[in-house]
Structure formats: structure tokens, C-alpha cells
Amino acid sequence: QVQLVESGGGLVQAGDSLRLSCAASGLTFGSYTMGWFRQAPGKEREFVAAMTQSGLSTYYLDPLKGRFTISRDNAKNLVYLQMNSVKPEDTAVYYCAADPTSLRLRRGVPAYWGQGTQVTVSS
């Protein structure tokens, strides 16, 4: 059974940094593109970032480039999202996702989803 478990969310102030983690189990981690999505209240879920199996390719929602960084540790089955200079508009539930193909994940139809972790940014 595949499980993706996010952690690291919470309440932070604008301008702070936050690192989300996603622990994966039940899958061959190194064979999956890993990614992050977010869903703000009243809005659709949106793609945030993805990293391919070997880490050679990364993808970001354009407005987040330079503030958010995705990374992974294939030895520990972990994927991270480093969020810097957070803003109130970053408030959302953040979801970890996994798929064997980068394109399918970035299109929002990954094979697996985590349950999400809430990030709230106060102004």
C-alpha cells in the first residue's frame, strides 16, 4: 500500500521560511517523479513543483520560482519543499504527489496523493 505522508505545515508569519516534508512508502521511490500541489480556500488545487526521479529536472509554478525549492532524498524516500519569504497568499493545504511520469503529475493526475498539510501565513 502506497502512502505519502506530509509534515512540516503550520502557522507562520509573512516573510518566514518553512520546509515541508513528504515521506513515501510502499513504492519504489526512485522510480517516481515527486511533486507538490496546493489548494487554497475556495480555489482549485494547483501545481507547485516537481522533481524527476534522478533529480535532474525540476519544474515550478512560474510565480514561485526563486522562493520555493523542491528537493528529494532517494536514500530516505523523502521529498521536501523549502518555502522562503512566505506570503499570505501561500496559505493553503499542501499535498505531496507521486507518479512514474513527470507529465502526468504536472497535469494534476498523479497516481498517488498524500493527505495534505495545512500552511497558514499571517500578515
Side-chain angles (χ1 to χ4, degrees):
Q1 180 182 0
V2 174
Q3 283 193 312
L4 304 177
V5 179
E6 303 93 336
S7 61
L11 175 63
V12 295
Q13 292 188 333
D16 286 351
S17 294
L18 193 66
R19 188 177 80 160
L20 305 182
S21 300
C22 171
S25 60
L27 75 170
T28 304
F29 187 76
S31 298
Y32 283 76
T33 288
M34 301 300 296
W36 291 92
F37 288 74
R38 68 184 181 182
Q39 187 167 19
K43 296 187 177 181
E44 292 187 354
R45 191 177 300 189
E46 67 177 354
F47 170 77
V48 171
M51 176 173 275
T52 54
Q53 287 83 336
S54 62
L56 289 179
S57 296
T58 56
Y59 305 88
Y60 293 94
L61 182 68
D62 281 347
L64 301 180
K65 289 180 180 178
R67 284 201 305 124
F68 287 16
T69 303
I70 188 171
S71 61
R72 64 189 293 164
D73 185 337
N74 284 358
K76 297 181 178 179
N77 289 10
L78 291 168
V79 61
Y80 305 101
L81 183 69
Q82 178 68 40
M83 305 167 60
N84 295 332
S85 302
V86 295
K87 304 174 181 181
E89 50 264 43
D90 294 323
T91 295
V93 177
Y94 284 73
Y95 297 90
C96 180
D99 197 275
T101 70
S102 168
L103 183 59
R104 194 159 56 207
L105 185 146
R106 288 184 285 128
R107 286 181 173 173
V109 286
Y112 304 106
W113 289 103
Q115 292 298 308
T117 186
Q118 176 71 47
V119 172
T120 303
V121 183
S122 64
S123 58

